[in-house]
Amino acid sequence: MITLADIAELDRADPLAAFRNEFVIPDGLIYLDGNSLGAASRAALAAVEKASREEWANSLIASWNDAGWFTLPSRLGDRLGRLIGAAAGETVVCDTVSVNVFKVMEAALALRPGRNVIVAEASSFPTDLYMLEGVRGRHPGLQIRLEGVDAPRIEDLLDADVAAVLVNHVDYRTGALRDMTAFTARIHEAGALAVWDLCHSAGALAVDLNGAGADLAVGCTYKYLNGGPGAPAFVFAASRHIPHLKQPLTGWWAHARPFAFDLGFEADPGIRRMLCGTQPILSMRGLEGALSVWETVDLAELRRKSMALTGLFIDLVEEKCAGHGLELASPRAAEARGSQVSFLHEGGYAIMQEVIARGVVGDFRRPNLMRFGFAPLYLSYRNIWDAAETLRQVLADDTWRARQVEAGALVT
Ligand SMILES: *Cc1c(COP(=O)(O)O)cnc(C)c1O
């Protein structure tokens, strides 16, 4: 039995506890959805305010130079690089994950001429697969093989025809974490490129792209990195590939000399060749504020707390909610999961609506998955206890059943 005294001790000993003060979280709310939209930091809010009032309203066009707007994509890329194991010059912040999947997969195909297969996961967040369909439409004969459709495991889909494998580091539904080093090595044995989607691992755990030998990666900044709604995504390319990268969205921000206004396109020699056009500066500034909070975060401590929070939640829910039909959908071993815990329940949508109404915010994915995300920078162990207790109360009475008839919201 876990007691409240145990919980109090965990909070007292938490080396990351002070980070909570950096965030604005509504009173009484327990926010377990940072895997979908991270919480607002004071620094991010201040950065957006300053960028709006001072840089935009007062300084207007001079800010492109004076405030360094034009170089934000690569400067932010370098700051973010520390969190994902990239060297300076290997990461650029830009566009959306969807657009970046398109660019990196096109670049990967161009790096592996003569190979006509892309491998991905049927369980992937759908936009990644939709973008692959778009890529396939441009390359007659290109085949997409899916784990879960064409074979149970990616390993069984690798052969000498495979150009690249697009793989999620952490599964967005179950939170299952792949071993990036072992998996990258296996992909390389087949002569293919390893393209990692870090949407659910960047800011959730220490990622080491170069340590793993990864080729390319994309990721999201509005989830665990707390960049703000619609904050721009990022692209990583290992330095050995950068001079050879070709992507088809050859806009002026990817040009070697954007302000020469040359007639023809010539790619930037560095990672900026993965850009396209003008970037959302206010959102970039929000992300810059958010990343300033990360400067002093010890990622080993972050991972330790994340594993402890998710493990505690599993233990408490299984202790308090036994017999109510919840089934753990995440790996039980802490090393095998990211920073989220999912449970299956056929009444999942209605239960989650009732849990949210009682001040604990998680989310729901069809057909029956309840997701809880754990952002170690702004959650306490006491939050986890209270969340599990709320779930117990919801399951113990029948109020949630009345919600089953409600129509689903546009965004779940
Ligand atoms: C969140 C997420 C996205 C989001 O894509 P956008 O184009 O930024 O909306 C894409 N892929 C995965 C795996 C995600 O988790």
Side-chain angles (χ1 to χ4, degrees):
M1 281 283 281
I2 302 155
T3 66
L4 266 176
D6 300 331
I7 300 290
E9 186 45 41
L10 287 168
D11 276 324
R12 243 192 318 273
D14 176 7
L16 299 177
F19 279 101
R20 185 181 174 87
N21 300 326
E22 307 281 338
F23 292 88
V24 181
I25 314 255
D27 279 345
L29 192 77
I30 297 178
Y31 191 65
L32 303 183
D33 218 357
N35 52 324
S36 194
L37 175 65
S41 62
R42 297 180 198 287
L45 296 176
V48 172
E49 171 88 8
K50 180 167 182 285
S52 309
R53 291 192 185 277
E54 294 177 25
E55 296 169 10
W56 176 23
N58 272 336
S59 304
L60 289 159
I61 200 157
S63 289
W64 283 109
N65 286 319
D66 297 349
W69 283 356
F70 195 71
T71 54
L72 272 171
S74 36
R75 284 191 292 121
L76 292 189
D78 284 346
R79 280 179 90 161
L80 203 153
R82 181 184 82 86
L83 304 173
I84 57 172
E90 291 184 319
T91 312
V92 70
V93 167
C94 60
D95 303 327
T96 64
V97 178
S98 304
V99 171
N100 290 339
V101 165
F102 180 78
K103 290 184 290 185
V104 298
M105 295 316 291
E106 286 284 349
L109 285 175
L111 286 170
R112 285 291 179 273
R115 292 181 171 230
N116 66 344
V117 176
I118 289 174
V119 171
E121 303 147 290
S123 61
S124 182
F125 190 90
T127 198
D128 293 36
L129 302 181
Y130 302 157
M131 296 311 292
L132 288 182
E133 283 188 37
V135 171
R136 184 173 57 194
R138 292 171 24 92
H139 301 271
L142 181 68
Q143 198 198 338
I144 296 173
R145 294 181 190 158
L146 294 180
E147 178 187 66
V149 172
D150 299 304
R153 299 178 327 140
I154 284 184
E155 291 87 326
D156 306 320
L157 294 170
L158 301 176
D159 61 28
D161 293 329
V162 177
V165 181
L166 173 62
V167 59
N168 286 277
H169 194 196
V170 173
D171 184 283
Y172 82 107
R173 292 173 61 88
T174 64
L177 169 68
R178 297 231 192 222
D179 179 337
M180 186 181 277
T181 304
F183 218 71
T184 299
R186 185 67 199 82
I187 292 166
H188 285 170
E189 271 169 36
L193 296 170
V195 185
W196 288 93
D197 185 321
L198 306 179
C199 283
H200 289 271
S201 61
L205 48 105
V207 178
D208 190 4
L209 286 167
N210 280 331
D215 298 289
L216 295 155
V218 297
C220 185
T221 68
Y222 54 74
K223 292 170 181 161
Y224 290 99
L225 292 171
N226 314 312
F234 62 87
V235 172
F236 158 90
S239 57
R240 63 185 175 278
H241 294 310
I242 291 176
H244 316 290
L245 288 182
K246 280 198 163 94
Q247 58 93 1
L249 303 184
T250 47
W252 70 304
W253 276 47
H255 198 286
R257 293 171 305 279
F259 285 91
F261 295 107
D262 291 342
L263 186 58
F265 181 79
E266 184 191 323
D268 181 274
I271 190 69
R272 284 184 72 104
R273 63 177 53 198
M274 296 307 285
L275 294 176
C276 180
T278 306
Q279 294 300 312
I281 299 301
L282 299 181
S283 287
M284 288 260 176
R285 279 289 192 234
L287 175 60
E288 186 172 38
L291 289 176
S292 72
V293 175
W294 286 97
E295 294 290 310
T296 56
V297 174
D298 177 336
L299 293 176
E301 290 291 1
L302 182 89
R303 178 66 174 149
R304 262 195 291 280
K305 182 172 176 186
S306 159
M307 293 198 292
L309 293 174
T310 52
L312 178 66
F313 188 66
I314 293 172
D315 291 346
L316 286 171
V317 168
E318 293 190 337
E319 194 177 295
K320 292 172 184 284
C321 307
H324 285 295
L326 287 175
E327 184 191 330
L328 182 65
S330 299
R332 194 170 286 281
E335 321 77 64
R337 60 174 185 259
S339 208
Q340 85 176 55
V341 173
S342 305
F343 284 100
L344 296 166
H345 194 293
E346 56 187 21
Y349 177 76
I351 293 168
M352 186 56 88
Q353 290 307 303
E354 185 62 28
V355 167
I356 292 170
R358 298 188 194 190
V360 177
V361 178
D363 64 21
F364 171 78
R365 289 291 175 265
R366 282 169 214 290
N368 55 359
L369 194 78
M370 300 162 70
R371 294 195 313 175
F372 300 91
F374 298 83
L377 295 189
Y378 51 80
L379 289 172
S380 66
Y381 292 90
R382 179 60 197 248
N383 288 154
I384 307 312
W385 171 281
D386 290 341
E389 183 55 26
T390 299
L391 184 56
R392 183 192 70 74
Q393 286 166 8
V394 166
L395 289 166
D397 69 40
D398 272 350
T399 327
W400 65 269
R401 289 181 196 278
R403 291 187 176 266
Q404 237 160 357
V405 292
E406 291 175 359
L410 187 59
V411 176
T412 59

